[in-house]
Amino acid sequence: MTGNTLIYRGSLKSCNYRCSYCPFSKRRTSARELEQDRAQWFSFLQSFPGQAAASGIRALLIAPYGEALIHPWYWEGLAHISACQNIDAVGAQTNLSFPLEPSLSRFTEHGGIKKKLRLWATFHPEMTTAEAFAGQCRRLFAAGISLCAGAVGVPKHKNLIQTLRRMLPAEIYLWINKMDGLGRPYTDEEQSAFLQIDPYFLRELAPVPSDKAQCAGRLFLEGNGSTRTCNISPPLPARSKIPDIPVPLPEPSCSRRLCSCYLAYGGRDNFLNRILFGPYPLFRIPRRPKAVFLDIEGTLLVQQNPGRPSQIPKNILAGIKALSFENIPLYFATTLPLREARKRCRPIWDLFSGGIFAGGAHIVQNAKTRELYYYLDQTDLSKLSTLEQNLHFCTLTYAHQGRPYKITLHRARHNPWRPEEIQALEQTIPWLRSPNIRYFTEQNCLQILSAKANKAAGVRTICSWLNISPREAAAAGDSPEDIGMLKLCGEPPYHPE
Ligand code: SF4
């Protein structure tokens, strides 16, 4: 079960590091301010279990302006929250400078559940060495803590970040954030070097048009009670002076054109974030499924301008390339026949290992080294042609070696099939009622397939060829035809994105 994510910012604005570019490093915090932050945190903790349950919050990320984990009360609070039954994940952004043993002990002494803990660690080359930072990452990893590590993609730090990559276990993802203020695009050489380190780096460079409809499941909360949908969206109307969680979560609000950083685009509820980073993508810890099945129309291909053919948006393309750089086998899962799918997905065709085509009637693995068809052998097509004129459709038959496996009754776009017309069709063509046949409408098309053919069955077949369980795979789609496949892979039910 997945839920909403709360991002706690508190009021802490101080840090033990003094990085030259960071405004918070220059700010001194008084003992009074620290005490205020501590008091706000504890007041938040008190009301958290009830409010989180009522607002569907199942994950909490501390994303302070300064460094929180050097203060023991944050470890204590993380422990309490992790112990809440309805909470799946807790974590914090950190520079990793906290003392490891005492901090983890404090966490466990207060009932913390280690397997729910996730750390987002940022490397600050001005303040620590790659050896020290990687050493702390390795110790946390050895202690069973999930974490990601990363750095800002400063071109002059390229070699150092490469060194850091070599020092980290392969399981720890090392992300690179694009450098704001670079003042120029990355050179091809810089881009390819960073991409070698972070297979997801192209996502940092691709523009992500804002869409607040994907932001309903998270909330940023400050120590003074103010809230925002994301770190770059405007404050929501004030409702409290203390950090408590509004129930229900407020409607998202956004005035941005682009979601320009990971805390923004990485927290959106969409199929890419779920496939790349699991149900709580803001922790930035890759999910790395063993195979990925993707619907085409409405999922990979999106109509960006009315009247224009649908295209693969740049941010989706960057995500697909990330999966491919990670060597995760990709499969199409579409009602389109293979030839049409190839035509529409030419820019990404070679990144895929095969697919479930024609609604599951044609399954292909690795350039047809393995292939399976479910045929429509008992169909008599002659009757269809007699109905074409009266019911205003044309028949498209997809066949392999003369045996049909998919029939599409295609109508003009403005003339979708009505239920009474389908009923009339059924009465005239008895084989449509055969238990060996299934049919469904898709906009202006009526698709007829073998009853054995569907996307879920296709996923099962390919997973058996790969020797994996469908639960180890990920899938995305946006139509009723995708429901079985999504359920099989343990994905949340589809909703149009
Ligand atoms: S800028 Fe923030 S609130 Fe707006 S759409 Fe992007 S992630 Fe959502």
Side-chain angles (χ1 to χ4, degrees), residues 210-212 215 218 229-230 232-233 253-254 256 258-259 264-265 268:
S210 63
D211 176 4
K212 68 178 180 177
C215 297
R218 53 136 170 219
T229 301
C230 86
I232 55 170
S233 64
S253 164
C254 178
R256 293 285 181 153
L258 296 172
C259 310
Y265 75 79
R268 285 173 39 162

PDB file of all heavy atoms in Angstrom, residues 210-212 215 218 229-230 232-233 253-254 256 258-259 264-265 268, ligand 1:
ATOM      1  N   SER A 210       5.297  21.899 -15.547  1.00  0.00           N
ATOM      2  CA  SER A 210       4.572  21.718 -14.281  1.00  0.00           C
ATOM      3  C   SER A 210       3.185  21.122 -14.536  1.00  0.00           C
ATOM      4  O   SER A 210       2.606  21.294 -15.613  1.00  0.00           O
ATOM      5  CB  SER A 210       4.450  23.053 -13.539  1.00  0.00           C
ATOM      6  OG  SER A 210       3.693  23.933 -14.323  1.00  0.00           O
ATOM      7  N   ASP A 211       2.696  20.393 -13.561  1.00  0.00           N
ATOM      8  CA  ASP A 211       1.366  19.794 -13.647  1.00  0.00           C
ATOM      9  C   ASP A 211       0.938  19.464 -12.216  1.00  0.00           C
ATOM     10  O   ASP A 211       1.253  18.399 -11.686  1.00  0.00           O
ATOM     11  CB  ASP A 211       1.430  18.524 -14.501  1.00  0.00           C
ATOM     12  CG  ASP A 211       0.084  17.814 -14.539  1.00  0.00           C
ATOM     13  OD1 ASP A 211      -0.889  18.360 -13.974  1.00  0.00           O
ATOM     14  OD2 ASP A 211       0.007  16.720 -15.112  1.00  0.00           O
ATOM     15  N   LYS A 212       0.249  20.405 -11.616  1.00  0.00           N
ATOM     16  CA  LYS A 212      -0.048  20.228 -10.187  1.00  0.00           C
ATOM     17  C   LYS A 212      -0.991  19.059  -9.919  1.00  0.00           C
ATOM     18  O   LYS A 212      -1.103  18.607  -8.783  1.00  0.00           O
ATOM     19  CB  LYS A 212      -0.567  21.525  -9.567  1.00  0.00           C
ATOM     20  CG  LYS A 212      -1.919  21.948 -10.061  1.00  0.00           C
ATOM     21  CD  LYS A 212      -2.360  23.199  -9.359  1.00  0.00           C
ATOM     22  CE  LYS A 212      -3.725  23.590  -9.897  1.00  0.00           C
ATOM     23  NZ  LYS A 212      -4.300  24.726  -9.284  1.00  0.00           N
ATOM     24  N   CYS A 215       0.592  16.416  -8.003  1.00  0.00           N
ATOM     25  CA  CYS A 215       1.256  16.813  -6.758  1.00  0.00           C
ATOM     26  C   CYS A 215       0.344  16.732  -5.543  1.00  0.00           C
ATOM     27  O   CYS A 215       0.643  17.325  -4.505  1.00  0.00           O
ATOM     28  CB  CYS A 215       1.785  18.239  -6.912  1.00  0.00           C
ATOM     29  SG  CYS A 215       3.018  18.319  -8.206  1.00  0.00           S
ATOM     30  N   ARG A 218       1.639  15.060  -1.623  1.00  0.00           N
ATOM     31  CA  ARG A 218       2.759  15.448  -0.738  1.00  0.00           C
ATOM     32  C   ARG A 218       2.582  16.884  -0.275  1.00  0.00           C
ATOM     33  O   ARG A 218       1.888  17.681  -0.873  1.00  0.00           O
ATOM     34  CB  ARG A 218       4.089  15.304  -1.459  1.00  0.00           C
ATOM     35  CG  ARG A 218       4.060  16.060  -2.761  1.00  0.00           C
ATOM     36  CD  ARG A 218       5.229  16.835  -3.063  1.00  0.00           C
ATOM     37  NE  ARG A 218       5.087  17.283  -4.444  1.00  0.00           N
ATOM     38  CZ  ARG A 218       6.079  17.339  -5.271  1.00  0.00           C
ATOM     39  NH1 ARG A 218       7.253  16.983  -4.898  1.00  0.00           N
ATOM     40  NH2 ARG A 218       5.895  17.789  -6.469  1.00  0.00           N
ATOM     41  N   THR A 229       3.018  23.033  -1.570  1.00  0.00           N
ATOM     42  CA  THR A 229       2.907  21.758  -2.286  1.00  0.00           C
ATOM     43  C   THR A 229       4.301  21.200  -2.557  1.00  0.00           C
ATOM     44  O   THR A 229       4.538  20.004  -2.427  1.00  0.00           O
ATOM     45  CB  THR A 229       2.139  21.961  -3.614  1.00  0.00           C
ATOM     46  OG1 THR A 229       0.859  22.473  -3.294  1.00  0.00           O
ATOM     47  CG2 THR A 229       1.992  20.666  -4.372  1.00  0.00           C
ATOM     48  N   CYS A 230       5.220  22.063  -2.965  1.00  0.00           N
ATOM     49  CA  CYS A 230       6.598  21.593  -3.151  1.00  0.00           C
ATOM     50  C   CYS A 230       7.539  22.720  -2.776  1.00  0.00           C
ATOM     51  O   CYS A 230       7.102  23.829  -2.470  1.00  0.00           O
ATOM     52  CB  CYS A 230       6.837  21.095  -4.576  1.00  0.00           C
ATOM     53  SG  CYS A 230       7.293  22.372  -5.739  1.00  0.00           S
ATOM     54  N   ILE A 232       9.343  24.663  -4.455  1.00  0.00           N
ATOM     55  CA  ILE A 232       9.397  25.882  -5.269  1.00  0.00           C
ATOM     56  C   ILE A 232       8.009  26.457  -5.557  1.00  0.00           C
ATOM     57  O   ILE A 232       7.868  27.378  -6.340  1.00  0.00           O
ATOM     58  CB  ILE A 232      10.159  25.638  -6.594  1.00  0.00           C
ATOM     59  CG1 ILE A 232       9.535  24.459  -7.362  1.00  0.00           C
ATOM     60  CG2 ILE A 232      11.639  25.398  -6.346  1.00  0.00           C
ATOM     61  CD1 ILE A 232      10.084  24.307  -8.779  1.00  0.00           C
ATOM     62  N   SER A 233       6.989  25.890  -4.946  1.00  0.00           N
ATOM     63  CA  SER A 233       5.636  26.419  -5.169  1.00  0.00           C
ATOM     64  C   SER A 233       5.329  27.470  -4.091  1.00  0.00           C
ATOM     65  O   SER A 233       5.994  27.502  -3.053  1.00  0.00           O
ATOM     66  CB  SER A 233       4.609  25.288  -5.147  1.00  0.00           C
ATOM     67  OG  SER A 233       4.586  24.701  -3.878  1.00  0.00           O
ATOM     68  N   SER A 253      -1.105  23.648  -5.038  1.00  0.00           N
ATOM     69  CA  SER A 253      -1.096  24.977  -5.641  1.00  0.00           C
ATOM     70  C   SER A 253       0.264  25.177  -6.299  1.00  0.00           C
ATOM     71  O   SER A 253       1.291  24.792  -5.742  1.00  0.00           O
ATOM     72  CB  SER A 253      -1.315  26.007  -4.536  1.00  0.00           C
ATOM     73  OG  SER A 253      -0.965  27.274  -4.990  1.00  0.00           O
ATOM     74  N   CYS A 254       0.272  25.777  -7.485  1.00  0.00           N
ATOM     75  CA  CYS A 254       1.542  25.903  -8.204  1.00  0.00           C
ATOM     76  C   CYS A 254       1.508  27.107  -9.128  1.00  0.00           C
ATOM     77  O   CYS A 254       0.498  27.361  -9.771  1.00  0.00           O
ATOM     78  CB  CYS A 254       1.770  24.645  -9.033  1.00  0.00           C
ATOM     79  SG  CYS A 254       3.284  24.719  -9.993  1.00  0.00           S
ATOM     80  N   ARG A 256       4.427  27.683 -11.042  1.00  0.00           N
ATOM     81  CA  ARG A 256       5.647  27.472 -11.825  1.00  0.00           C
ATOM     82  C   ARG A 256       5.341  26.956 -13.229  1.00  0.00           C
ATOM     83  O   ARG A 256       4.334  26.274 -13.433  1.00  0.00           O
ATOM     84  CB  ARG A 256       6.537  26.446 -11.129  1.00  0.00           C
ATOM     85  CG  ARG A 256       7.088  26.928  -9.827  1.00  0.00           C
ATOM     86  CD  ARG A 256       8.181  27.908 -10.099  1.00  0.00           C
ATOM     87  NE  ARG A 256       8.772  28.392  -8.874  1.00  0.00           N
ATOM     88  CZ  ARG A 256      10.024  28.820  -8.802  1.00  0.00           C
ATOM     89  NH1 ARG A 256      10.809  28.818  -9.849  1.00  0.00           N
ATOM     90  NH2 ARG A 256      10.489  29.281  -7.669  1.00  0.00           N
ATOM     91  N   LEU A 258       7.918  25.226 -14.837  1.00  0.00           N
ATOM     92  CA  LEU A 258       8.695  23.983 -14.855  1.00  0.00           C
ATOM     93  C   LEU A 258       8.942  23.492 -13.433  1.00  0.00           C
ATOM     94  O   LEU A 258       9.082  24.291 -12.505  1.00  0.00           O
ATOM     95  CB  LEU A 258      10.062  24.222 -15.515  1.00  0.00           C
ATOM     96  CG  LEU A 258      10.072  24.616 -16.990  1.00  0.00           C
ATOM     97  CD1 LEU A 258      11.480  24.991 -17.429  1.00  0.00           C
ATOM     98  CD2 LEU A 258       9.545  23.480 -17.867  1.00  0.00           C
ATOM     99  N   CYS A 259       9.031  22.180 -13.283  1.00  0.00           N
ATOM    100  CA  CYS A 259       9.434  21.599 -11.989  1.00  0.00           C
ATOM    101  C   CYS A 259      10.951  21.417 -12.101  1.00  0.00           C
ATOM    102  O   CYS A 259      11.421  20.461 -12.711  1.00  0.00           O
ATOM    103  CB  CYS A 259       8.750  20.252 -11.790  1.00  0.00           C
ATOM    104  SG  CYS A 259       6.988  20.314 -12.071  1.00  0.00           S
ATOM    105  N   ALA A 264      11.146  18.843  -6.528  1.00  0.00           N
ATOM    106  CA  ALA A 264       9.888  19.162  -7.205  1.00  0.00           C
ATOM    107  C   ALA A 264       9.486  18.007  -8.128  1.00  0.00           C
ATOM    108  O   ALA A 264       8.542  17.266  -7.837  1.00  0.00           O
ATOM    109  CB  ALA A 264      10.038  20.466  -7.982  1.00  0.00           C
ATOM    110  N   TYR A 265      10.229  17.782  -9.206  1.00  0.00           N
ATOM    111  CA  TYR A 265       9.772  16.781 -10.184  1.00  0.00           C
ATOM    112  C   TYR A 265       9.836  15.353  -9.628  1.00  0.00           C
ATOM    113  O   TYR A 265       9.049  14.490  -9.994  1.00  0.00           O
ATOM    114  CB  TYR A 265      10.527  16.912 -11.517  1.00  0.00           C
ATOM    115  CG  TYR A 265      11.953  16.392 -11.552  1.00  0.00           C
ATOM    116  CD1 TYR A 265      12.234  15.041 -11.678  1.00  0.00           C
ATOM    117  CD2 TYR A 265      13.041  17.268 -11.495  1.00  0.00           C
ATOM    118  CE1 TYR A 265      13.537  14.567 -11.728  1.00  0.00           C
ATOM    119  CE2 TYR A 265      14.346  16.816 -11.533  1.00  0.00           C
ATOM    120  CZ  TYR A 265      14.593  15.458 -11.660  1.00  0.00           C
ATOM    121  OH  TYR A 265      15.891  14.993 -11.699  1.00  0.00           O
ATOM    122  N   ARG A 268       6.597  14.071  -7.814  1.00  0.00           N
ATOM    123  CA  ARG A 268       5.298  14.013  -8.492  1.00  0.00           C
ATOM    124  C   ARG A 268       4.822  12.571  -8.599  1.00  0.00           C
ATOM    125  O   ARG A 268       5.620  11.653  -8.738  1.00  0.00           O
ATOM    126  CB  ARG A 268       5.419  14.635  -9.892  1.00  0.00           C
ATOM    127  CG  ARG A 268       5.503  16.135  -9.802  1.00  0.00           C
ATOM    128  CD  ARG A 268       5.800  16.825 -11.097  1.00  0.00           C
ATOM    129  NE  ARG A 268       5.164  16.289 -12.276  1.00  0.00           N
ATOM    130  CZ  ARG A 268       5.039  16.974 -13.408  1.00  0.00           C
ATOM    131  NH1 ARG A 268       5.472  18.231 -13.473  1.00  0.00           N
ATOM    132  NH2 ARG A 268       4.497  16.436 -14.465  1.00  0.00           N
TER     133      ARG A 268
HETATM  134  S1  SF4 B   1       6.553  23.122  -9.428  1.00  0.00           S
HETATM  135 FE1  SF4 B   1       6.120  21.870  -7.636  1.00  0.00          FE
HETATM  136  S2  SF4 B   1       3.920  22.111  -7.256  1.00  0.00           S
HETATM  137 FE2  SF4 B   1       4.323  22.856  -9.323  1.00  0.00          FE
HETATM  138  S3  SF4 B   1       3.865  21.096 -10.618  1.00  0.00           S
HETATM  139 FE3  SF4 B   1       6.070  21.101 -10.179  1.00  0.00          FE
HETATM  140  S4  SF4 B   1       6.319  19.781  -8.436  1.00  0.00           S
HETATM  141 FE4  SF4 B   1       4.137  20.317  -8.542  1.00  0.00          FE
END
